[in-house]
Amino acid sequence: MDREVVLVCALALFCLRDAGLVASRPRLLVAFAPILIVAAGACGFVAENLSAQKAGELLNDSRLWITALLLHAALGFQASRKYRRGRSADWLTVFPPPLTIIGLILGSRAALVFWDGVNGMTAGLALGAAYGLSVALLALAVRKRRDGVAALRFSSLAHFSALLLVPSSAVLDSPLATQPVHWERAALVLASVAALVTASFFWHRYRWK
């Protein structure tokens, strides 16, 4: 359950990332929407064909988390380089990152457990649609602040925050087990990420004043 809490918060963080990127360059919706739908459908398909035992083995496989860690680091450096050079976001920046993919797969598995008669593809597409709608609503809320540099900077920060979220997801309890949430452990990880995001926000806001 601890891992579920961390992954849900990670999805919220990357939802904010996507909203900022789309708001900074609305044309990205042309790439964001189909990529998200295809990825969500694929995640649902994987979830349907992944047994509880295989899912548990996968979540305990260090290779999964090391790969996710390296990809987030690479994406963080890429976004950082873009905003330092004053470039705008492109379709690669809105491609679902590793933690989003893992979260969609686990969310689809949970839907298959709790909703009778639903198949994996439907569950994945429903989650993808909900995620996309959240991004669209947030993008509309910040549409007056179409700052591409700030959006890429937050994207970079989100990926570097994942360097804390990925290791914690690797060692926290499996969401497939019926265990209570250890809030103190999950809260420590999330507080660290929140502090990093807050410190970065105030640093970039006031460093020129």
Side-chain angles (χ1 to χ4, degrees):
M1 288 297 292
D2 301 324
R3 185 180 288 161
E4 283 181 331
V5 172
V6 171
L7 286 175
V8 167
C9 292
L11 282 174
L13 179 65
F14 285 105
C15 185
L16 290 172
R17 180 207 72 148
D18 292 337
L21 292 172
V22 169
S24 72
R25 193 179 182 188
R27 284 184 295 176
L28 283 177
L29 275 174
V30 177
F32 174 75
I35 290 174
L36 177 62
I37 292 301
V38 171
C43 288
F45 178 79
V46 171
E48 185 175 13
N49 292 276
L50 199 64
S51 66
Q53 180 181 355
K54 289 293 184 181
E57 292 175 356
L58 181 64
L59 290 172
N60 291 323
D61 191 340
S62 61
R63 291 173 295 181
L64 170 70
W65 301 108
I66 291 174
T67 301
L69 191 72
L70 293 175
L71 286 174
H72 276 291
L75 291 169
F77 279 114
Q78 181 195 38
S80 177
R81 185 173 58 184
K82 281 181 177 294
Y83 85 72
R84 289 180 185 278
R85 294 182 179 181
R87 296 181 180 177
S88 58
D90 55 33
W91 70 273
L92 285 174
T93 61
V94 294
F95 199 87
L99 280 183
T100 299
I101 295 296
I102 294 172
L104 287 174
I105 292 174
L106 294 182
S108 298
R109 275 203 55 82
L112 291 173
V113 172
F114 292 108
W115 294 345
D116 294 331
V118 70
N119 59 46
M121 186 74 71
T122 301
L125 290 175
L127 288 174
Y131 183 88
L133 180 60
S134 299
V135 170
L137 291 175
L138 287 170
L140 286 174
V142 299
R143 67 186 184 278
K144 294 182 179 179
R145 300 181 60 187
R146 295 180 179 177
D147 188 342
V149 172
L152 283 169
R153 187 164 58 231
F154 183 80
S155 176
S156 178
L157 177 64
H159 286 295
F160 286 129
S161 297
L163 302 187
L164 295 175
L165 294 169
V166 169
S168 64
S169 299
V171 300
L172 291 175
D173 295 332
S174 169
L176 300 176
T178 55
Q179 301 175 2
V181 179
H182 296 90
W183 291 106
E184 66 281 0
R185 290 189 291 184
L188 179 62
V189 175
L190 300 177
S192 300
V193 173
L196 178 63
V197 173
T198 303
S200 177
F201 171 78
F202 284 109
W203 166 255
H204 289 291
R205 182 172 181 177
Y206 295 111
R207 66 174 177 170
W208 300 114
K209 293 186 177 181

Short mmCIF file of all heavy atoms in Angstrom, two decimals, residues 49-78:
data_model
loop_
_atom_site.label_atom_id
_atom_site.label_comp_id
_atom_site.label_asym_id
_atom_site.label_seq_id
_atom_site.Cartn_x
_atom_site.Cartn_y
_atom_site.Cartn_z
N ASN A 49 -2.89 -9.28 -18.91
CA ASN A 49 -2.13 -10.49 -19.18
C ASN A 49 -1.00 -10.72 -18.18
O ASN A 49 -0.12 -11.55 -18.41
CB ASN A 49 -1.55 -10.44 -20.60
CG ASN A 49 -2.62 -10.52 -21.66
OD1 ASN A 49 -3.06 -11.59 -22.03
ND2 ASN A 49 -3.06 -9.36 -22.14
N LEU A 50 -1.04 -9.97 -17.08
CA LEU A 50 -0.02 -10.10 -16.05
C LEU A 50 -0.66 -10.67 -14.79
O LEU A 50 -1.50 -10.03 -14.17
CB LEU A 50 0.58 -8.71 -15.76
CG LEU A 50 1.94 -8.64 -15.06
CD1 LEU A 50 3.03 -9.25 -15.93
CD2 LEU A 50 2.28 -7.18 -14.76
N SER A 51 -0.26 -11.87 -14.43
CA SER A 51 -0.82 -12.50 -13.23
C SER A 51 -0.30 -11.78 -11.99
O SER A 51 0.68 -11.04 -12.04
CB SER A 51 -0.42 -13.97 -13.17
OG SER A 51 0.98 -14.11 -13.00
N ALA A 52 -0.98 -12.02 -10.87
CA ALA A 52 -0.56 -11.40 -9.61
C ALA A 52 0.87 -11.80 -9.26
O ALA A 52 1.66 -10.99 -8.77
CB ALA A 52 -1.52 -11.78 -8.49
N GLN A 53 1.20 -13.07 -9.51
CA GLN A 53 2.55 -13.54 -9.20
C GLN A 53 3.59 -12.85 -10.08
O GLN A 53 4.63 -12.39 -9.60
CB GLN A 53 2.64 -15.05 -9.40
CG GLN A 53 4.03 -15.63 -9.09
CD GLN A 53 4.08 -17.13 -9.32
OE1 GLN A 53 3.08 -17.77 -9.62
NE2 GLN A 53 5.27 -17.71 -9.18
N LYS A 54 3.30 -12.76 -11.40
CA LYS A 54 4.22 -12.11 -12.32
C LYS A 54 4.36 -10.63 -12.01
O LYS A 54 5.45 -10.06 -12.09
CB LYS A 54 3.74 -12.30 -13.76
CG LYS A 54 3.89 -13.72 -14.28
CD LYS A 54 5.36 -14.11 -14.43
CE LYS A 54 5.50 -15.48 -15.05
NZ LYS A 54 6.93 -15.89 -15.18
N ALA A 55 3.24 -10.00 -11.65
CA ALA A 55 3.29 -8.58 -11.31
C ALA A 55 4.15 -8.35 -10.07
O ALA A 55 4.95 -7.41 -10.02
CB ALA A 55 1.88 -8.05 -11.06
N GLY A 56 4.01 -9.23 -9.09
CA GLY A 56 4.83 -9.11 -7.89
C GLY A 56 6.30 -9.30 -8.19
O GLY A 56 7.16 -8.57 -7.67
N GLU A 57 6.61 -10.27 -9.05
CA GLU A 57 8.00 -10.51 -9.43
C GLU A 57 8.57 -9.31 -10.18
O GLU A 57 9.73 -8.92 -9.98
CB GLU A 57 8.09 -11.77 -10.30
CG GLU A 57 7.79 -13.06 -9.54
CD GLU A 57 7.76 -14.28 -10.46
OE1 GLU A 57 7.91 -14.08 -11.69
OE2 GLU A 57 7.58 -15.40 -9.96
N LEU A 58 7.75 -8.74 -11.06
CA LEU A 58 8.20 -7.59 -11.83
C LEU A 58 8.49 -6.40 -10.93
O LEU A 58 9.50 -5.71 -11.09
CB LEU A 58 7.13 -7.23 -12.86
CG LEU A 58 7.44 -6.05 -13.79
CD1 LEU A 58 8.64 -6.36 -14.67
CD2 LEU A 58 6.24 -5.71 -14.64
N LEU A 59 7.59 -6.15 -9.97
CA LEU A 59 7.77 -5.01 -9.07
C LEU A 59 8.95 -5.19 -8.13
O LEU A 59 9.46 -4.22 -7.58
CB LEU A 59 6.48 -4.77 -8.27
CG LEU A 59 5.30 -4.24 -9.07
CD1 LEU A 59 4.06 -4.23 -8.22
CD2 LEU A 59 5.60 -2.86 -9.62
N ASN A 60 9.37 -6.44 -7.92
CA ASN A 60 10.52 -6.69 -7.06
C ASN A 60 11.80 -6.86 -7.86
O ASN A 60 12.85 -7.16 -7.28
CB ASN A 60 10.27 -7.96 -6.22
CG ASN A 60 9.19 -7.74 -5.18
OD1 ASN A 60 9.09 -6.67 -4.58
ND2 ASN A 60 8.36 -8.74 -4.95
N ASP A 61 11.72 -6.68 -9.18
CA ASP A 61 12.89 -6.82 -10.04
C ASP A 61 13.64 -5.49 -10.09
O ASP A 61 13.11 -4.47 -10.54
CB ASP A 61 12.44 -7.23 -11.45
CG ASP A 61 13.61 -7.65 -12.33
OD1 ASP A 61 14.75 -7.29 -12.02
OD2 ASP A 61 13.36 -8.35 -13.32
N SER A 62 14.87 -5.50 -9.62
CA SER A 62 15.66 -4.27 -9.58
C SER A 62 15.90 -3.69 -10.97
O SER A 62 16.08 -2.47 -11.11
CB SER A 62 16.99 -4.52 -8.88
OG SER A 62 17.75 -5.50 -9.59
N ARG A 63 15.89 -4.53 -12.00
CA ARG A 63 16.13 -4.04 -13.35
C ARG A 63 15.05 -3.06 -13.80
O ARG A 63 15.33 -2.10 -14.53
CB ARG A 63 16.22 -5.21 -14.33
CG ARG A 63 17.46 -6.08 -14.15
CD ARG A 63 17.41 -7.30 -15.04
NE ARG A 63 16.31 -8.19 -14.65
CZ ARG A 63 16.04 -9.35 -15.26
NH1 ARG A 63 16.81 -9.75 -16.27
NH2 ARG A 63 15.02 -10.10 -14.86
N LEU A 64 13.81 -3.30 -13.36
CA LEU A 64 12.72 -2.38 -13.70
C LEU A 64 12.98 -1.00 -13.13
O LEU A 64 12.89 0.02 -13.83
CB LEU A 64 11.40 -2.92 -13.16
CG LEU A 64 10.21 -1.95 -13.21
CD1 LEU A 64 9.77 -1.73 -14.65
CD2 LEU A 64 9.05 -2.47 -12.37
N TRP A 65 13.35 -0.95 -11.86
CA TRP A 65 13.51 0.33 -11.18
C TRP A 65 14.80 1.03 -11.61
O TRP A 65 14.83 2.27 -11.68
CB TRP A 65 13.47 0.12 -9.67
CG TRP A 65 12.18 -0.50 -9.24
CD1 TRP A 65 11.97 -1.77 -8.81
CD2 TRP A 65 10.89 0.13 -9.24
NE1 TRP A 65 10.65 -1.98 -8.54
CE2 TRP A 65 9.96 -0.83 -8.79
CE3 TRP A 65 10.44 1.40 -9.58
CZ2 TRP A 65 8.60 -0.54 -8.67
CZ3 TRP A 65 9.09 1.69 -9.47
CH2 TRP A 65 8.19 0.72 -9.01
N ILE A 66 15.85 0.27 -11.89
CA ILE A 66 17.09 0.88 -12.37
C ILE A 66 16.86 1.52 -13.74
O ILE A 66 17.32 2.64 -14.01
CB ILE A 66 18.23 -0.16 -12.44
CG1 ILE A 66 18.64 -0.58 -11.02
CG2 ILE A 66 19.43 0.40 -13.19
CD1 ILE A 66 19.63 -1.71 -10.99
N THR A 67 16.12 0.80 -14.60
CA THR A 67 15.80 1.36 -15.92
C THR A 67 14.97 2.64 -15.78
O THR A 67 15.22 3.65 -16.46
CB THR A 67 15.04 0.33 -16.76
OG1 THR A 67 15.83 -0.85 -16.92
CG2 THR A 67 14.71 0.90 -18.14
N ALA A 68 13.96 2.60 -14.89
CA ALA A 68 13.13 3.79 -14.66
C ALA A 68 13.97 4.95 -14.14
O ALA A 68 13.80 6.10 -14.56
CB ALA A 68 12.02 3.45 -13.68
N LEU A 69 14.89 4.64 -13.24
CA LEU A 69 15.75 5.67 -12.66
C LEU A 69 16.60 6.34 -13.74
O LEU A 69 16.69 7.57 -13.81
CB LEU A 69 16.64 5.04 -11.59
CG LEU A 69 17.42 5.99 -10.68
CD1 LEU A 69 16.48 6.69 -9.72
CD2 LEU A 69 18.49 5.21 -9.90
N LEU A 70 17.21 5.52 -14.58
CA LEU A 70 18.09 6.05 -15.63
C LEU A 70 17.30 6.88 -16.65
O LEU A 70 17.76 7.93 -17.10
CB LEU A 70 18.82 4.90 -16.33
CG LEU A 70 19.85 4.14 -15.47
CD1 LEU A 70 20.42 2.96 -16.25
CD2 LEU A 70 20.97 5.07 -15.01
N LEU A 71 16.10 6.40 -17.00
CA LEU A 71 15.28 7.14 -17.96
C LEU A 71 14.84 8.49 -17.40
O LEU A 71 14.85 9.50 -18.11
CB LEU A 71 14.06 6.30 -18.37
CG LEU A 71 14.34 5.13 -19.31
CD1 LEU A 71 13.09 4.30 -19.51
CD2 LEU A 71 14.85 5.64 -20.66
N HIS A 72 14.44 8.51 -16.13
CA HIS A 72 14.03 9.78 -15.53
C HIS A 72 15.22 10.75 -15.45
O HIS A 72 15.05 11.95 -15.65
CB HIS A 72 13.43 9.54 -14.15
CG HIS A 72 11.97 9.19 -14.20
ND1 HIS A 72 11.01 10.09 -14.57
CD2 HIS A 72 11.32 8.03 -13.92
CE1 HIS A 72 9.82 9.51 -14.52
NE2 HIS A 72 9.98 8.26 -14.14
N ALA A 73 16.39 10.23 -15.13
CA ALA A 73 17.57 11.09 -15.09
C ALA A 73 17.86 11.67 -16.47
O ALA A 73 18.14 12.87 -16.61
CB ALA A 73 18.78 10.29 -14.58
N ALA A 74 17.77 10.83 -17.50
CA ALA A 74 18.02 11.30 -18.87
C ALA A 74 17.00 12.35 -19.29
O ALA A 74 17.34 13.38 -19.89
CB ALA A 74 18.01 10.12 -19.83
N LEU A 75 15.72 12.10 -18.96
CA LEU A 75 14.66 13.06 -19.31
C LEU A 75 14.82 14.37 -18.54
O LEU A 75 14.55 15.45 -19.07
CB LEU A 75 13.29 12.44 -19.02
CG LEU A 75 12.88 11.29 -19.94
CD1 LEU A 75 11.63 10.58 -19.40
CD2 LEU A 75 12.64 11.79 -21.35
N GLY A 76 15.27 14.27 -17.29
CA GLY A 76 15.51 15.47 -16.50
C GLY A 76 16.61 16.32 -17.09
O GLY A 76 16.48 17.55 -17.20
N PHE A 77 17.70 15.69 -17.51
CA PHE A 77 18.81 16.43 -18.12
C PHE A 77 18.40 17.02 -19.47
O PHE A 77 18.80 18.13 -19.82
CB PHE A 77 20.02 15.51 -18.29
CG PHE A 77 20.83 15.34 -17.04
CD1 PHE A 77 20.92 14.11 -16.41
CD2 PHE A 77 21.52 16.42 -16.49
CE1 PHE A 77 21.66 13.94 -15.25
CE2 PHE A 77 22.27 16.27 -15.32
CZ PHE A 77 22.34 15.03 -14.71
N GLN A 78 17.60 16.28 -20.22
CA GLN A 78 17.14 16.78 -21.51
C GLN A 78 16.29 18.03 -21.35
O GLN A 78 16.48 19.03 -22.06
CB GLN A 78 16.34 15.70 -22.25
CG GLN A 78 15.85 16.16 -23.63
CD GLN A 78 14.77 15.26 -24.20
OE1 GLN A 78 13.91 14.77 -23.46
NE2 GLN A 78 14.83 15.01 -25.50
#
